[in-house]
Amino acid sequence: MTQSICIITGSTLGGAEYVADHLESCLTAKGFNVELFNHATLVDIQSQPILIVVTSTHGAGELPDNIKPLFEELENQPLDFSQMKFGVVGLGSSDYDTFCHAVDIVENTLKAKGATQVCNSERIDTVTNFEHDETAENWLEGFLVKL
């Protein structure tokens, strides 16, 4: 049976979407079934066994507008995600003291619903790291090993 992985994005300017597209290509090449949502809803993710969240940090350390409603809904629903495993790739600027704070929001929200974090999140500093796809792909290898 082919394993399914769901990828959702939180993106303001498109950077996270590009990284998610790259991860989707990597996973598809390895034989995974991949579902990618750029405007994910609760219905899209609630029964997913494996979730990868690729998100930038917006404004004062917040989730981007395309993913914020989903996480607000998650916080307010009594959900059981104990069957879900997840990983997070964040993009942010170390010029801000809220560097990759959206990653913390995603981790804390999913863990509060019982989901299991597979490995440390990847926090890509867009100020010093211009190889976003390559960095995320290297993280993906470690994620897959620990699944």
Side-chain angles (χ1 to χ4, degrees):
M1 188 179 96
T2 305
Q3 245 180 331
S4 291
I5 296 183
C6 178
I7 303 174
I8 64 172
T9 65
S11 191
T12 303
L13 302 175
E17 290 180 15
Y18 292 126
V19 171
D21 289 342
H22 182 70
L23 292 180
E24 178 187 29
S25 297
C26 295
L27 288 166
T28 302
K30 292 178 184 294
F32 288 92
N33 284 332
V34 184
E35 286 187 272
L36 173 62
F37 299 100
N38 290 323
H39 295 276
T41 64
L42 183 55
V43 173
D44 296 330
I45 71 161
Q46 64 187 4
S47 60
Q48 298 287 352
I50 304 168
L51 181 68
I52 295 175
V53 182
V54 182
T55 186
S56 59
T57 296
H58 182 66
E62 297 168 35
L63 289 167
D65 290 341
N66 71 316
I67 198 173
K68 195 173 186 175
L70 170 62
F71 276 83
E72 287 172 350
E73 186 176 2
L74 290 178
E75 286 176 17
N76 296 318
Q77 298 280 340
L79 300 163
D80 177 7
F81 282 179
S82 57
Q83 301 303 309
M84 181 187 287
K85 295 178 179 176
F86 77 94
V88 187
V89 175
L91 291 93
S93 166
S94 60
D95 289 342
Y96 296 93
D97 58 1
T98 55
F99 171 64
C100 281
H101 187 68
V103 171
D104 301 332
I105 295 169
V106 170
E107 288 177 348
N108 294 336
T109 303
L110 291 174
K111 285 181 195 171
K113 299 302 172 190
T116 302
Q117 186 169 354
V118 174
C119 62
N120 288 337
S121 296
E122 181 66 58
R123 289 170 168 84
I124 300 172
D125 185 354
T126 57
V127 174
T128 58
N129 180 336
F130 304 106
E131 302 296 331
H132 306 163
D133 287 357
E134 188 178 307
T135 301
E137 187 174 338
N138 290 338
W139 170 88
L140 182 65
E141 294 302 320
F143 176 81
L144 294 174
V145 166
K146 293 181 179 175
L147 266 181

